[in-house]
Amino acid sequence: MANFSLDGKVALVTGASYGIGFAIASGYAQAGATIVFNDINQDLVNKGLAAYKAEGINAHGYVCDVTNEDQVNAMVAQIEKEVGVIDILVNNAGIIKRIPMHEMKASEFRQVIDIDLNGPFIVAKAVIPSMMKKGTGKIINICSMMSELGRETVSAYAAAKGGLKMLTRNIASEYGEYNIQCNGLGPGYIATPQTAPLREIQADGSRHPFDQFIIAKTPAARWGTPDDLVGPAVFLASEASNFVNGHVLYVDGGILAYIGKQP
């Protein structure tokens, strides 16, 4: 369908050298978008460029720290000059620190907030003026089930992702009249190289305890894959979602709808 096409669009996906960001950006490329991404250092950018090239995608990579407003503004200006005005922004760059709250240093809490919440504010702020002038734009914030739920050891991450949900709603509220849609995409538990140790079969042939926990809490009875996020991400970036604004689309296999099996 034509309204799902991203032909002629420039998409910036932050932190998209690998993982979920890479999967989303690759999906956008298949839908016709020109891909721009950043990462924190040149080595990661080079690895990302090689990975995109291996997929037949001619991506444009930039070194940029999303928490540094001057770097972000310079990157956006450079992208507009070298590639074009950014039509689609995916705020994907993020970190998590799993530390019990009473043991967490304030500096560690601030670092998570800075990257996971302040970063999306800074990058969105940089791209919105050109979207306003163009009269169209899509901003997609990578939220989390922790935008809705708490869990042990993730106080900073949950605080940041809860804040990101509300930033999403506020951008929608403030800039909807300019035909800018800002929505969130909330992944569930996704099978990536980073989560592979949590899915290893144990010596006795049983599932890892955390793997058992996730399967029991998920109506789909499986982990998600990065590909599960591509269709929803394309929808939120395309004209098909032009009247969807301030929404968080959870791609979680049903976890948030489910209270769990009776023991």
Side-chain angles (χ1 to χ4, degrees):
M1 293 176 64
N3 64 343
F4 284 90
S5 170
L6 302 182
D7 283 343
K9 303 294 186 182
V10 175
L12 167 60
V13 185
T14 65
S17 295
Y18 59 92
I20 287 171
F22 179 83
I24 289 172
S26 298
Y28 285 172
Q30 292 170 15
T34 299
I35 302 306
V36 179
F37 73 99
N38 79 292
D39 222 313
I40 193 70
N41 60 52
Q42 191 64 54
D43 284 346
L44 284 171
V45 169
N46 289 343
K47 287 177 182 177
L49 289 170
Y52 285 110
K53 187 175 181 180
E55 296 290 325
I57 298 167
N58 181 28
H60 305 263
Y62 296 84
V63 176
C64 180
D65 177 353
V66 296
T67 70
N68 185 312
E69 190 169 12
D70 290 339
Q71 287 186 26
V72 169
N73 289 339
M75 177 183 71
V76 169
Q78 191 175 357
I79 291 167
E80 290 188 356
K81 181 179 178 181
E82 296 176 354
V83 186
V85 171
I86 295 161
D87 301 289
I88 302 158
L89 165 65
V90 180
N91 278 312
N92 166 75
I95 63 167
I96 187 169
K97 288 182 179 289
R98 295 181 176 88
I99 305 169
M101 181 175 162
H102 68 282
E103 297 176 3
M104 188 174 223
K105 296 175 184 176
S107 60
E108 293 170 324
F109 188 92
R110 289 190 189 102
Q111 184 187 16
V112 175
I113 298 293
D114 205 20
I115 295 170
D116 292 5
L117 181 57
N118 294 342
F121 163 77
I122 291 167
V123 184
K125 178 174 174 284
V127 305
I128 282 172
S130 290
M131 289 181 173
M132 291 169 70
K133 288 178 187 174
K134 200 169 184 178
T136 183
K138 302 282 186 176
I139 298 172
I140 296 135
N141 293 323
I142 302 301
C143 294
S144 165
M145 290 186 298
M146 300 302 111
S147 298
E148 303 289 343
L149 300 172
R151 191 168 177 272
E152 299 84 356
T153 76
V154 294
S155 58
Y157 186 79
K161 293 300 185 178
L164 187 58
K165 175 182 69 174
M166 292 311 301
L167 179 63
T168 299
R169 291 177 177 175
N170 208 81
I171 293 171
S173 302
E174 197 164 353
Y175 298 101
E177 65 183 288
Y178 297 95
N179 192 32
I180 295 170
Q181 290 84 50
C182 181
N183 293 290
L185 185 67
Y189 285 91
I190 306 298
T192 64
Q194 288 75 22
T195 60
L198 300 174
R199 290 176 281 107
E200 287 182 352
I201 299 299
Q202 304 300 286
D204 62 1
S206 65
R207 289 180 180 269
H208 188 287
F210 191 80
D211 189 15
Q212 294 179 35
F213 168 69
I214 294 305
I215 296 303
K217 291 293 291 182
T218 308
R222 67 174 178 86
W223 289 64
T225 69
D227 285 346
D228 286 322
L229 298 168
V230 171
V234 169
F235 165 68
L236 292 177
S238 73
E239 293 181 1
S241 62
N242 279 356
F243 206 56
V244 179
N245 212 359
H247 173 74
V248 181
L249 175 53
Y250 290 102
V251 185
D252 66 353
I255 289 177
L256 286 172
Y258 187 44
I259 196 171
K261 292 180 180 178
Q262 181 178 341

